[in-house]
Amino acid sequence: MKIKVKTKEHAKETVKINTDYIQLQSFLKFKGISETGGQAKEFIQDGIIRVNGEICTARGKKLRSGDTVTAFGTDYQIINEG
């Protein structure tokens, strides 16, 4: 018996920043993905957050223009406006 699995396409969103970088935990709070720094820390440590397709467990990870953060079915593309 063959089983076909369909994966749902991730929603995509562009996030504009006007600094050289933003730290991952700050980004999660900025976008409303987490309500507090503590919650952001939990999401990161639990391996829920991906940066450029890889699980990232570093809260202080610097996100720069061109990076993609994936959280809860949404891909966030970072773009530097500054």
Side-chain angles (χ1 to χ4, degrees), residues 7-13 50 69-76:
T7 57
K8 185 178 177 183
E9 176 108 8
H10 285 194
K12 298 187 186 322
E13 186 175 327
R50 292 180 175 265
V69 176
T70 303
F72 301 104
T74 303
D75 293 335
Y76 300 91

Side-chain angles (χ1 to χ4, degrees), residues 57-72:
T57 57
R59 290 183 319 189
K61 169 77 174 157
K62 293 179 180 177
L63 304 173
R64 300 179 188 279
S65 186
D67 286 341
T68 301
V69 176
T70 303
F72 301 104

